[in-house]
Amino acid sequence: MFLGKALHVVNIISNNQPRANDLFSSEGTSSTEIQLHRGHAEEGRSAGPYELRPQQVDNSTRIPPPRTISAPSFHTVSALPLKNRTEAILFRHYIQKLAICLDLCDPLRHFEFVVPERAAVCHTLLNAIFAIAARHLSHTTNFDPLASNRYHDECLRYLIPMLDHASTVSDENLFAATIILRMLEEMDVPTTGQDNYSHLLGIHAFVNVGDQYMVPGSLSAASFWVGLRQEIYIAVITQQPVKVSLNHFVVDRSFEPADDYTWSNRAIVLIADVLNFCFGENSFTVGRWNALDEACKKWSATRPPSFNPFFYREPTASIAFPEIWHGSSCHVIGIQHHILAQLFLTQFDPSIPKVGTNRRAAVKQMTQRIETLVRELCGIGVCNQWTPPAMFTACMGIAMFGDQFSERSDQEALIDILKKTEADHARPTAAIQQQLMNAWGWIPETGE
């Protein structure tokens, strides 16, 4: 009878035991192996491992002494070399708040799932995580503003000398670390007063190494797409061509049926091609503009219907931007980058007369189209703030085309987006705000 009761207790404990150990759960759990003494089991029986069967007990049967059953432990920690609770906070902040900014078009979410796992064995990657999390927290909360520098310096102490070695540029963990450090660099403009783009050079080194390390579905490929988006941001703000090589196997310019993530990446490649057309040397031809414009139209016509918003409402007299709700970050970023491509093609339209009586009407029509596209871009950003890059991309459009808005209410709405992006997401917009206020003639009213 005692054996039956003991087995019954084991059965209850086993059925309530967690099935897996999740590194990123709020409480770490460890599985406990419980071995049951079966006695003389019946041959060929099909009962489950915890199913009890009546057994014959006689004087020759020896009943084993009761075994101590250990309660499952909920305090076993992961293998991450975290020194204290502060580093645990930084690690959690990266996973919960920052990885989403990197995994926009990655169905495998490498920067959320793979990078934290790799950080357990790659200290440079772990220090990059600490550095970006500390910088973001110092800009958005009262977190120690110097903490990020310590982790950042530790990364550079190892990373910079290694970039000259061929084996380094094939290390996808270091590629991912460089991507994260570039994101930190983008946040540092208010502190340094300028963007030195130093980590972009590291990204170029990894990207230009060739296709042999950039296998689709790998961390290297995921890092490439993030690096390309970072390069597009710089190209837009500085009005220069994209410097990252686009001659890679993972780059797809086709319009064949594919998953939504591929379609978003196609839109990102398209805006890169457009920027190279607009700002590249000796690349501006009417034929090339027509080809890019046709590619934009074809992307719109052939993309999956899942890119359509599930809610849309036109702007009103009191609301500057339409309400546009999407359910996936890849849809948000794909549509927004496609709008950016349309904006630049509209601005650089070679059919607009340079002089003559028809120029005024053509410029007016161009301005109206640009305003409509910027409103769409901002509407997506404001209505999808759950994915912060939606606001970053909206700011890119405002920086380039916001000066064309003449109504004070529209101008104030654009400034509000810039201010909110800086306050909530640690992205510097003060310089853009100043440039726009100068362009709009706000100086007498602001006293500047």
Side-chain angles (χ1 to χ4, degrees):
M1 178 177 293
F2 185 86
L3 176 61
K5 289 183 178 180
L7 290 174
H8 181 64
V9 171
V10 172
N11 190 28
I12 293 175
I13 292 175
S14 301
N15 288 337
N16 287 281
Q17 219 177 307
R19 293 176 180 266
N21 179 17
D22 188 347
L23 177 63
F24 311 121
S25 62
S26 58
E27 291 185 330
T29 59
S30 61
S31 59
T32 304
E33 293 184 1
I34 301 177
Q35 297 181 349
L36 303 179
H37 184 85
R38 292 297 179 188
H40 301 285
E42 297 176 352
E43 293 186 2
R45 67 179 184 176
S46 59
Y50 300 114
E51 183 176 340
L52 301 182
R53 289 179 177 272
Q55 296 187 8
Q56 297 291 332
V57 180
D58 54 29
N59 293 333
S60 63
T61 302
R62 182 177 180 180
I63 300 177
R67 302 181 63 180
T68 302
I69 302 174
S70 301
S73 171
F74 295 97
H75 307 291
T76 302
V77 295
S78 73
L80 284 165
L82 304 180
K83 298 176 183 177
N84 48 49
R85 186 175 186 273
T86 298
E87 290 190 349
I89 290 173
L90 295 175
F91 191 77
R92 180 180 65 180
H93 186 74
Y94 165 81
I95 294 171
Q96 295 181 346
K97 301 295 183 181
L98 301 177
I100 187 176
C101 299
L102 303 170
D103 283 333
L104 299 171
C105 300
D106 180 8
L108 300 178
R109 292 156 68 181
H110 281 85
F111 281 86
E112 180 181 355
F113 295 135
V114 177
V115 164
E117 181 180 334
R118 300 279 184 87
V121 295
C122 179
H123 285 201
T124 301
L125 193 54
L126 183 61
N127 282 323
I129 288 175
F130 291 154
I132 186 67
R135 180 69 83 242
H136 187 265
L137 283 171
S138 70
H139 283 324
T140 57
T141 69
N142 60 353
F143 193 84
D144 180 5
L146 299 179
S148 178
N149 294 344
R150 295 191 290 269
Y151 295 116
H152 188 214
D153 291 345
E154 186 64 23
C155 284
L156 298 184
R157 187 177 67 84
Y158 176 80
L159 190 58
I160 291 178
M162 294 297 293
L163 287 177
D164 292 332
H165 297 274
S167 60
T168 301
V169 295
S170 64
D171 188 329
E172 61 181 7
N173 293 338
L174 298 182
F175 190 2
T178 305
I179 292 293
I180 293 172
L181 293 177
R182 173 56 200 164
M183 183 179 174
L184 181 152
E185 197 172 51
E186 292 171 348
M187 296 180 186
D188 272 351
V189 175
T191 303
T192 63
Q194 60 181 349
D195 190 339
N196 296 319
Y197 317 121
S198 58
H199 288 299
L200 280 180
L201 300 178
I203 293 172
H204 296 165
F206 284 101
V207 170
N208 295 332
V209 71
D211 282 335
Q212 62 267 35
Y213 303 113
M214 208 171 296
V215 179
S218 66
L219 178 57
S220 289
S223 298
F224 165 79
W225 288 113
V226 181
L228 177 56
R229 293 197 301 270
Q230 292 172 333
E231 180 71 31
I232 287 170
Y233 170 79
I234 296 303
V236 169
I237 298 302
T238 62
Q239 301 181 34
Q240 295 181 358
V242 172
K243 297 177 182 178
V244 167
S245 173
L246 298 177
N247 297 320
H248 289 286
F249 176 76
V250 295
V251 172
D252 180 5
R253 292 183 174 87
S254 74
F255 299 97
E256 299 299 320
D259 59 74
D260 290 1
Y261 297 94
T262 298
W263 277 99
S264 291
N265 284 329
R266 288 170 177 172
I268 291 166
V269 172
L270 181 55
I271 177 59
D273 288 337
V274 169
L275 292 172
N276 287 340
F277 164 76
C278 295
F279 303 123
E281 296 181 3
N282 304 320
S283 62
F284 195 97
T285 64
V286 175
R288 180 60 175 158
W289 186 94
N290 288 333
L292 290 169
D293 185 57
E294 180 62 28
C296 269
K297 293 176 180 177
K298 194 166 184 178
W299 189 92
S300 294
T302 56
R303 63 168 174 77
S306 52
F307 279 81
N308 297 331
F310 63 84
F311 179 80
Y312 184 94
R313 183 160 64 181
E314 294 284 350
T316 64
S318 59
I319 301 177
F321 312 122
E323 285 189 69
I324 307 174
W325 298 0
H326 288 279
S328 169
S329 59
C330 87
H331 297 152
V332 169
I333 211 67
I335 292 293
Q336 283 189 312
H337 279 71
H338 183 253
I339 291 174
L340 282 177
Q342 292 176 291
L343 280 166
F344 278 99
L345 286 175
T346 301
Q347 183 68 56
F348 285 80
D349 187 348
S351 67
I352 296 177
K354 300 296 186 292
V355 294
T357 57
N358 294 329
R359 175 171 170 76
R360 182 184 295 272
V363 169
K364 181 179 179 180
Q365 184 178 7
M366 177 194 72
T367 302
Q368 290 174 343
R369 176 165 170 75
I370 286 176
E371 286 190 5
T372 298
L373 289 171
V374 171
R375 291 183 197 277
E376 296 277 320
L377 188 70
C378 293
I380 294 174
V382 170
C383 294
N384 298 275
Q385 295 184 47
W386 51 270
T387 178
M391 293 289 278
F392 308 161
T393 312
C395 290
M396 292 164 60
I398 294 172
M400 293 296 100
F401 305 99
D403 65 303
Q404 302 195 35
F405 286 79
S406 57
E407 294 294 328
R408 178 70 184 225
S409 59
D410 291 334
Q411 296 169 357
E412 291 175 347
L414 296 176
I415 291 293
D416 285 344
I417 290 180
L418 295 174
K419 289 180 176 179
K420 186 171 182 60
T421 300
E422 181 159 353
D424 294 351
H425 306 297
R427 286 300 176 113
T429 64
I432 299 173
Q433 294 177 47
Q434 181 67 36
Q435 293 165 10
L436 287 174
M437 288 188 288
N438 289 337
W440 293 329
W442 285 22
I443 296 177
E445 299 181 26
T446 58
E448 297 178 0

